[in-house]
Amino acid sequence: MNYSYLHLGEKVDPDAYVVCEYRITTDLPMTKAAEELAAEQSTGTWTNISTLENDIFEKYGGRITDITGDIVTVAFPVDDFCTDVGAVPQILSIIAGNLFGLHAIDKIRLEDVWFPRSIREDFKGPKFGASGLRKILDRPEKPLVGTIVKPKIGLSPKDTAKYVYESGKGGLTNSKDDETLVDQKFCPLEDRTTAIAESLDLLKSEGHKMLHAINISTSGHRILETAEKAQSWGAKQIMVDVLTCGFAAVQVLAEDRSIKVPVHVHRTMHGAMTRDPLHGIAMLPIAKLCRMCGGDALHVGTLGIGKMEGRSDEDRDNIDACFDTSVGYKEVMPVCSGGVYPGLIDKIVAASGNNVQIQAGGGVAGHPGGVRKGALGMSQAVDATFLGIPLNEYAKTHDELRTALETWGSK
Ligand code: RUB
């Protein structure tokens, strides 16, 4: 390598660089591994090249500004990015591209990223955000409480709509399709959306406001059209799987004028990137990008409490990214989901705060009394926690919560 990418100790202008923190595991000296990274992701390659002129290197080379233990900070000049055309795909190919496969680096994890104002301004962020969702639901303060229709797949449109209605009668504010349910023969999207819209309308006429996120995840060339159709069939919220569909899918759904409903962002497949503490991409950069792209609600983990692998400190960071006031976007509603049941609500809320959407699939559908009582159990657990009353205490006067605690305990 002709040029050194090392600028240790340099303080870069946060409005002139995209700054990334990587955790690196390597047998090489850390400075050497970091230089390989910065070269590959900016102006270099594996050997000296005659075409790399000094001004190109100075203008566009990544700058390694800090190495502390196994954490390496690299600042990429803002001019390396082309967000009006490339947006997230091009951002990711710089900050999280080839570097994962370099021989020089055994393992590497993108832990965090900060974007300069000029890039942030290229993105619009959420249209509704946490406060918009609360306004639609007329629920200013209490945690939102929801369900994922279970079984994950197999129910007919009519039975899905019945599940949603029963959930609403049990006090839930939200429900959603599972990430694996889209437009299968047993539950066509049009029939499901129409039937659920009827359930939600009926609930509304009976005095209860509720949202259901219809999963419109599909191939890139059909996603907008599918969302438009779902909307025309009565969907009041749509859901998209960000990692299988891509960030561009979230962005088009949030930014296209034809879509007038909030976007619920699921993160199925994230474990392939986030689970290894030494390799991959932490959820935090994913959460920041989802917010930039306009997700209104985002799965952030259950703070180390539910069925999915996750670290409470990392999940807490994800929540903070949903609310960070410095980035200039509306706040995102963080969604805690995965192996949740009523006995966990007090612990989750203690860690998340009240500005959260908590969801249970099995923790509703698995209630011995059925879906309505399962929903009541969840709602009562949220009410008790909001009021500061211990769950066991509240359960003395609330049968559905009592049965839930007897069934699953409280951890
Ligand atoms: C949960 C479920 C979701 C998980 C995903 O069902 O279907 O897909 O929430 O988890 P159940 P994450 O409540 O029955 O476990 O939010 O961590 O991505």
Side-chain angles (χ1 to χ4, degrees), residues 146-150 152 163 176-180 239 241 264-271 283 298-302 306-310 315 335-341 359-366:
T147 185
I148 311 103
V149 176
K150 299 285 167 174
K152 288 171 90 84
Y163 185 117
K176 61 177 271 299
D177 292 342
D178 195 274
E179 68 280 0
T180 54
M239 170 174 132
D241 294 326
H264 179 110
V265 181
H266 196 283
R267 56 177 188 160
T268 186
M269 201 172 81
H270 77 91
M283 185 61 201
L298 171 69
H299 287 235
V300 294
T302 48
K307 78 177 179 189
M308 309 292 282
E309 178 70 23
D315 294 355
V335 179
C336 295
S337 180
V340 173
Y341 49 86
Q359 300 177 160
V364 167

Side-chain angles (χ1 to χ4, degrees), residues 18 20 31 84 135 149 154 189 194-195 201 211 218 221 226 229 233 241 244 254 276 293 299-300 325 369 371 379 403:
V18 172
C20 296
T31 47
D84 54 338
K135 205 164 164 197
V149 176
L189 188 63
T194 313
D201 285 347
L211 282 172
T218 185
H221 64 291
T226 307
K229 281 184 183 162
W233 297 326
D241 294 326
T244 55
D276 187 330
C293 288
H299 287 235
V300 294
T325 49
V371 171
S379 307
T403 304

Side-chain angles (χ1 to χ4, degrees), residues 175-235:
S175 60
K176 61 177 271 299
D177 292 342
D178 195 274
E179 68 280 0
T180 54
L181 181 70
V182 281
D183 196 13
Q184 288 96 321
K185 283 193 195 111
F186 56 79
C187 197
L189 188 63
E190 178 170 2
D191 299 349
R192 178 169 84 254
T193 307
T194 313
I196 290 172
E198 280 169 18
S199 288
L200 297 180
D201 285 347
L202 183 56
L203 285 164
K204 197 171 172 191
S205 70
E206 293 167 353
H208 181 70
K209 289 186 182 164
M210 185 176 179
L211 282 172
H212 178 96
I214 296 281
N215 186 11
I216 52 85
S217 300
T218 185
S219 49
H221 64 291
R222 290 181 56 220
I223 201 140
L224 193 53
E225 182 196 335
T226 307
E228 283 166 354
K229 281 184 183 162
Q231 206 177 232
S232 73
W233 297 326

Side-chain angles (χ1 to χ4, degrees), residues 108-382:
I108 178 163
R109 192 172 195 246
L110 173 61
E111 297 285 357
D112 204 351
V113 59
W114 294 267
F115 294 101
R117 181 183 301 270
S118 62
I119 289 187
R120 293 201 310 270
E121 285 174 356
D122 280 339
F123 292 84
K124 296 189 169 54
K127 258 201 300 240
F128 296 84
S131 57
L133 290 168
R134 286 191 173 283
K135 205 164 164 197
I136 293 170
L137 294 166
D138 208 359
R139 185 149 163 130
E141 286 180 326
K142 263 194 229 175
L144 306 186
V145 54
T147 185
I148 311 103
V149 176
K150 299 285 167 174
K152 288 171 90 84
I153 52 166
L155 291 184
S156 66
K158 192 165 156 256
D159 288 342
T160 308
K162 186 168 171 232
Y163 185 117
V164 173
Y165 179 75
E166 290 296 302
S167 302
K169 292 309 276 182
L172 298 190
T173 56
N174 294 77
S175 60
K176 61 177 271 299
D177 292 342
D178 195 274
E179 68 280 0
T180 54
L181 181 70
V182 281
D183 196 13
Q184 288 96 321
K185 283 193 195 111
F186 56 79
C187 197
L189 188 63
E190 178 170 2
D191 299 349
R192 178 169 84 254
T193 307
T194 313
I196 290 172
E198 280 169 18
S199 288
L200 297 180
D201 285 347
L202 183 56
L203 285 164
K204 197 171 172 191
S205 70
E206 293 167 353
H208 181 70
K209 289 186 182 164
M210 185 176 179
L211 282 172
H212 178 96
I214 296 281
N215 186 11
I216 52 85
S217 300
T218 185
S219 49
H221 64 291
R222 290 181 56 220
I223 201 140
L224 193 53
E225 182 196 335
T226 307
E228 283 166 354
K229 281 184 183 162
Q231 206 177 232
S232 73
W233 297 326
K236 296 285 185 290
Q237 186 176 23
I238 51 177
M239 170 174 132
V240 62
D241 294 326
V242 59
L243 297 175
T244 55
C245 294
F247 290 90
V250 177
Q251 197 178 358
V252 73
L253 294 169
E255 289 186 8
D256 196 276
R257 286 202 194 142
S258 67
I259 304 301
K260 302 191 189 316
V261 297
V263 181
H264 179 110
V265 181
H266 196 283
R267 56 177 188 160
T268 186
M269 201 172 81
H270 77 91
M273 298 176 200
T274 61
R275 189 167 185 168
D276 187 330
L278 297 178
H279 190 81
I281 306 177
M283 185 61 201
L284 183 55
I286 297 172
K288 288 185 176 181
L289 287 167
C290 285
R291 187 171 178 194
M292 286 163 71
C293 288
D296 294 293
L298 171 69
H299 287 235
V300 294
T302 48
L303 300 127
I305 293 167
K307 78 177 179 189
M308 309 292 282
E309 178 70 23
R311 276 173 34 192
S312 55
D313 57 339
E314 292 204 345
D315 294 355
R316 186 60 244 180
D317 288 345
N318 303 336
I319 293 178
D320 292 342
C322 290
F323 295 123
D324 178 4
T325 49
S326 71
V327 291
Y329 306 121
K330 284 189 180 152
E331 297 174 338
V332 177
M333 177 58 75
V335 179
C336 295
S337 180
V340 173
Y341 49 86
L344 303 182
I345 298 296
D346 52 347
K347 286 109 199 148
I348 292 176
V349 173
S352 68
N354 284 321
N355 211 358
V356 68
Q357 176 173 329
I358 303 180
Q359 300 177 160
V364 167
H367 192 284
V371 171
R372 187 181 298 206
K373 292 198 171 177
L376 278 164
M378 276 291 285
S379 307
Q380 290 162 2
V382 167

